[in-house]
Amino acid sequence: MCHMANTEGSISSVLSEKRMFHPNPEFSESATVKSMSEYERLYHSAEEDPLKYWASIASNFHWFKKWDTVMEWNEPHSKWFVGGETNLCYNAIDVHVNTWRKNKAAIIWEGEEGEQLTLTYLQLHREVSKFANVLKRRGVEKGDRVAIYMGMTPELVIAVLACARIGAVHNVIFGGFSANAVAERINDSHAKMLVTADGAVRRGKTVNLKDVVDEALVETPSIQNVIVHQRTKQDIHFQDGRDHWWHDLMGLASEYCPAESLDSEHPLFILYTSGSTGKPKGILHTTGGYMTHAGNSFKHVFDIKEQDIYWCSADVGWITGHSYIIYGPLINGATVLLYEGAPNYPQWDRFWDMIQRHKVTIFYTAPTAIRAFIRAGDEWVTKHDLSSLRLLGTVGEPINPEAWMWYHKFIGKEKCPIVDTWWQTETGGIMISPLPGATPTKPGTATRPLPGILVDVVHKDGTSCKPNEGGFLVVKHPWPSMLRTIYGDDERYKKTYWSEVDGMYFTGDGARKDEDGYIWIMGRVDDVVNISGHRLGTSEVESALVSHDAVAEAAVVSRPDDLKGNALVAFVTLKEEFEGDQKLRVELRDHVSKEIGPIAKPDDIRWAEALPKTRSGKIMRRLLREMATSKEVKGDMTTLEDFSVLEKLRQEEEKSHEENSK
Ligand code: WT7
């Protein structure tokens, strides 16, 4: 299966994974989509007439005014449900308040110290309506941008939904970002209002959010008002006239605030995502199309049932939190668990303890978290009763097959399907994923696209790759929740997504399609390494390393080499009980050689206590590449989560340099 084609745009695929897991019949019986043949039927009818399919999905939601035209396409700009009017907050809350669900828990919140708060749909409706009135009273109008910078508390969800209710455009800024990053995002979106908190709680400490805000606001002339939620009750600086307490304003607000009837293409939110270089991109999503896909994909991929307790451990500061903590679940009337704090506080079993106590049925997390749990040791898991779980999910990076197997075995007890969901901030919702009652899964692949989503793996010229031949992952037909543009920079939008392959949306990812049509993500195309003329996807070599018993996590990059053009450098984090030495180095090299072939054998192996990651958990291979090449890291580091990681790697690098050359 090892194709080494190397025409332009091809990436050699070397990973071979043969295990396959079928959904258990009990699960399938009550699932939304019950079999592969049902999926195929759905998929093919949607493929034949995508607009008809999307129109039928959109009509499941509440529209104040029905659309005239399903879609208008003016490459590369699409408009969906043109002429229609709706409101996403109305679809997420009001529709339930008019049914028996009004007293169903919408949000069950747990603070890091164990505090709990439950908001029913009716209670959420009241809080959101009040806060919407607060925003209006403070001068926020339809179309204005509102920046939201706070920790994972119910108020964050309330603020987001209140914006949607009145047609203000929310711009959520992850609570871990620095003053510079906050100021940059506020300025780029010209936000008029900032909603924040005095502090946030993280790993038993308080983070001084308001201090960061005060520093940021020196450079943000557009902000007129700041609303401060009192979370930690620490002393903060308060600027009269500009700063207001959340509880003061809420105390005065009326709970009557009808949802605005908004044009389907009315902007819903801007969410910043970092490009590989340069300033972050403000990804713009609009109302009707985003609602349609977020709501529908949640229902199908997570197979949601009334009695489920659904937990997504992401932060609302990322797209995962927007689409699959707030909008997708609430549109479907689900009960969402919202957790404020860290996965290892007070100990490494916090998540498993929470799943046991809340009887969580569906759990959605990231490969980076799974690898951290593997590293911490199985005993944290095995002491808890996880029998309430019925479905697991992952998102954010390719999941290494061995990490998938661990998740399947230790968390899912070999009975829960795993939905490995591929998507992006730009796509707004899940694009490629198993349907848990239908799709047989293979560890390491997001399997097949959802109905209505036409993806392919192509060469640079747009022609399809052969099975198992690596190429560019593209989307060939517009979909309702696609980004509309990069806010304030339409040229960059065209250049980034629509100029790589003619007439297709380019995802930036390398991938291959196997003989069953399953898509295997091989990593970002920017991270592809070229070894002796073969372009290899980093994720495959990393997965081979992770399949060794001693390895918890690995990142592979290349550095220039006189002989081969490039040499492979692997940064490896070992499981707690293993020691990195020369013997293990040799063993790991042989292991990769056996798993993939000698071509992928790392030239250097460097022990890394931890890898540099973005705040959302993605490995920053670019920094590692700089480190492997020049020993110095100069590029943009504003998204790096922990600076000490780089320093430790630098020290390690001195040591391993000698040993690797032995
Ligand atoms: C990039 C998008 C979508 C929410 C979180 C990330 C990678 C995401 C998978 C997956 C392999 C994945 C891709 C993608 N990615 N999910 N299941 N398998 N890779 O959103 O920060 O916009 O990142 O994350 O490289 O392009 P994002």
Side-chain angles (χ1 to χ4, degrees):
M1 64 137 300
C2 179
H3 289 261
M4 290 292 182
N6 199 34
T7 56
E8 195 183 359
S10 296
I11 304 166
S12 304
S13 176
V14 284
L15 185 77
S16 159
E17 173 60 59
K18 295 277 179 261
R19 291 169 287 201
M20 197 191 251
F21 297 85
H22 291 269
N24 74 54
E26 250 169 87
F27 191 103
S28 300
E29 216 169 279
S30 60
T32 323
V33 178
K34 296 177 169 44
S35 66
M36 215 40 190
S37 55
E38 196 183 334
Y39 161 81
E40 297 281 9
R41 262 200 316 278
L42 258 173
Y43 185 83
H44 289 298
S45 77
E47 187 182 27
E48 246 160 54
D49 193 345
L51 298 188
K52 184 171 159 215
Y53 171 78
W54 287 116
S56 79
I57 301 294
S59 46
N60 295 330
F61 304 102
H62 181 89
W63 295 81
F64 296 120
K65 176 174 174 283
K66 208 188 160 196
W67 57 89
D68 308 313
T69 314
V70 179
M71 202 254 308
E72 276 173 17
W73 180 235
N74 186 356
E75 196 192 317
H77 296 108
S78 73
K79 288 185 180 161
W80 284 83
F81 312 114
V82 184
E85 288 184 20
T86 185
N87 184 294
L88 196 30
C89 180
Y90 187 93
N91 275 280
I93 309 180
D94 299 48
V95 293
H96 309 304
V97 169
N98 302 329
T99 71
W100 68 270
R101 286 198 190 108
K102 71 175 182 227
N103 292 327
K104 179 177 176 177
I107 290 169
I108 299 175
W109 176 74
E110 180 164 312
E112 206 183 56
E113 293 301 339
E115 315 90 306
Q116 309 227 349
L117 178 84
T118 300
L119 286 173
T120 63
Y121 274 92
L122 188 59
Q123 290 168 328
L124 183 61
H125 181 265
R126 191 187 310 141
E127 296 306 304
V128 169
S129 300
K130 276 162 55 180
F131 197 66
N133 278 327
V134 165
L135 292 174
K136 286 203 276 192
R137 275 292 283 276
R138 288 287 135 201
V140 175
E141 289 169 22
K142 188 170 138 182
D144 285 344
R145 273 78 60 212
V146 174
I148 303 175
Y149 177 66
M150 51 207 307
M152 286 276 283
T153 58
E155 288 74 14
L156 169 54
V157 178
I158 291 165
V160 164
L161 289 165
C163 288
R165 192 165 192 83
I166 62 171
V169 183
H170 56 78
N171 166 11
V172 181
I173 303 170
F174 173 59
F177 276 132
S178 65
N180 273 340
V182 174
E184 186 174 25
R185 286 160 177 75
I186 287 176
N187 286 334
D188 191 75
S189 65
H190 306 283
K192 192 173 185 180
M193 155 86 82
L194 172 65
V195 185
T196 187
D198 51 354
V201 178
R202 191 76 182 173
R203 228 162 255 133
K205 298 201 183 75
T206 55
V207 185
N208 300 333
L209 289 184
K210 186 58 167 51
D211 284 358
V212 179
V213 161
D214 288 329
E215 194 186 330
L217 290 195
V218 174
E219 308 164 47
T220 58
S222 62
I223 295 288
Q224 296 168 4
N225 284 282
V226 179
I227 301 179
V228 187
H229 169 240
Q230 192 169 38
R231 167 66 188 111
T232 52
K233 302 203 161 72
Q234 65 207 90
D235 277 342
I236 57 167
H237 162 80
F238 220 74
Q239 186 173 314
D240 286 335
R242 185 194 72 183
D243 299 351
H244 317 271
W245 283 115
W246 172 291
H247 52 264
D248 287 346
L249 300 180
M250 285 293 263
L252 301 170
S254 144
E255 38 186 83
Y256 176 74
C257 179
E260 285 271 335
S261 182
L262 299 170
D263 190 278
S264 176
E265 279 300 325
H266 186 73
L268 175 69
F269 65 85
I270 300 169
L271 182 62
Y272 286 84
T273 174
S274 46
S276 46
T277 51
K279 67 172 195 161
K281 303 181 283 222
I283 304 301
L284 178 73
H285 284 286
T286 60
T287 304
Y290 173 83
M291 167 175 79
T292 299
H293 187 52
N296 185 61
S297 59
F298 180 78
K299 177 172 158 188
H300 283 91
V301 173
F302 295 102
D303 189 49
I304 196 73
K305 300 285 186 286
E306 285 303 348
Q307 62 276 21
D308 275 318
I309 303 214
Y310 163 86
W311 183 20
C312 166
S313 72
D315 195 285
V316 170
W318 316 121
I319 189 70
T320 309
H322 284 57
S323 302
Y324 300 112
I325 294 179
I326 302 183
Y327 291 117
L330 297 184
I331 288 170
N332 285 280
T335 296
V336 176
L337 179 64
L338 186 72
Y339 171 53
E340 177 179 42
N344 57 349
Y345 185 82
Q347 304 188 98
W348 271 108
D349 63 344
R350 179 59 183 263
F351 278 17
W352 322 128
D353 182 47
M354 283 180 62
I355 287 172
Q356 177 173 352
R357 280 188 290 106
H358 293 280
K359 301 215 180 328
V360 171
T361 56
I362 304 173
F363 179 58
Y364 189 31
T365 195
T368 181
I370 295 170
R371 293 187 303 254
F373 294 131
I374 297 174
R375 187 158 187 246
D378 304 342
E379 61 280 9
W380 293 112
V381 179
T382 50
K383 67 179 181 193
H384 291 283
D385 174 9
L386 303 182
S387 58
S388 58
L389 287 172
R390 63 179 199 94
L391 176 60
L392 302 173
T394 74
V395 61
E397 284 177 290
I399 181 164
N400 316 111
E402 284 321 307
W404 193 102
M405 289 303 296
W406 184 90
Y407 199 33
H408 170 68
K409 192 164 158 214
F410 282 90
I411 310 304
K413 312 295 177 195
E414 302 184 0
K415 76 171 211 292
C416 301
I418 297 178
V419 288
D420 173 352
T421 62
W422 180 91
W423 58 297
Q424 309 177 297
T425 306
E426 292 86 342
T427 68
I430 295 168
M431 304 290 273
I432 307 174
S433 168
L435 295 180
T439 318
T441 51
K442 307 179 194 180
T445 164
T447 73
R448 304 264 305 260
L450 297 186
I453 302 295
L454 308 182
V455 300
D456 198 6
V457 177
V458 300
H459 301 116
K460 178 106 177 98
D461 66 7
T463 56
S464 298
C465 292
K466 293 196 289 282
N468 288 318
E469 186 186 359
F472 300 128
L473 181 66
V474 296
V475 190
K476 289 181 151 172
H477 189 279
W479 66 104
S481 63
M482 62 186 275
L483 78 165
R484 296 304 189 257
T485 189
I486 293 175
Y487 190 76
D489 197 349
D490 199 51
E491 279 314 305
R492 189 172 179 196
Y493 166 69
K494 291 179 187 154
K495 188 161 169 286
T496 310
Y497 306 108
W498 296 94
S499 66
E500 203 66 36
V501 187
D502 233 17
M504 299 175 195
Y505 169 85
F506 175 49
T507 64
D509 285 352
R512 72 179 160 97
K513 218 196 272 188
D514 72 11
E515 53 288 343
D516 297 321
Y518 283 30
I519 310 267
W520 296 75
I521 306 296
M522 297 159 74
R524 303 290 298 170
V525 170
D526 299 341
D527 291 332
V528 162
V529 294
N530 194 322
I531 303 296
S532 310
H534 300 296
R535 302 179 68 203
L536 298 176
T538 48
S539 84
E540 300 191 324
V541 188
E542 290 161 6
S543 285
L545 284 161
V546 172
S547 74
H548 188 281
D549 235 13
V551 178
E553 189 155 58
V556 169
V557 299
S558 68
R559 62 163 169 76
D561 180 89
D562 294 341
L563 206 61
K564 301 162 72 175
N566 284 294
L568 273 187
V569 183
F571 292 83
V572 173
T573 305
L574 296 172
K575 289 185 192 157
E576 298 284 7
E577 64 272 28
F578 290 89
E579 186 75 41
D581 55 21
Q582 195 54 21
K583 186 167 151 279
L584 187 56
R585 259 198 196 93
V586 175
E587 210 178 300
L588 288 183
R589 281 200 195 110
D590 290 346
H591 180 75
V592 173
S593 184
K594 198 173 95 240
E595 292 288 302
I596 305 186
I599 180 164
K601 198 166 163 172
D603 298 87
D604 301 356
I605 288 181
R606 302 199 188 161
W607 310 120
E609 203 181 294
L611 297 170
K613 290 185 187 169
T614 63
R615 288 172 171 84
S616 64
K618 287 196 207 314
I619 299 170
M620 294 180 79
R621 292 180 187 76
R622 180 174 52 81
L623 298 188
L624 292 172
R625 197 156 54 230
E626 287 176 33
M627 181 161 277
T629 308
S630 63
K631 292 192 183 173
E632 240 186 285
V633 181
K634 289 201 253 18
D636 179 26
M637 282 190 285
T638 50
T639 55
L640 179 66
E641 143 100 344
D642 178 359
F643 286 91
S644 68
V645 168
L646 281 188
E647 196 36 51
K648 281 184 202 140
L649 280 177
R650 230 173 249 131
Q651 290 161 10
E652 188 57 39
E653 117 107 49
E654 313 272 305
K655 267 198 286 171
S656 58
H657 186 67
E658 291 160 35
E659 291 168 16
N660 272 304
S661 45
K662 272 180 205 161

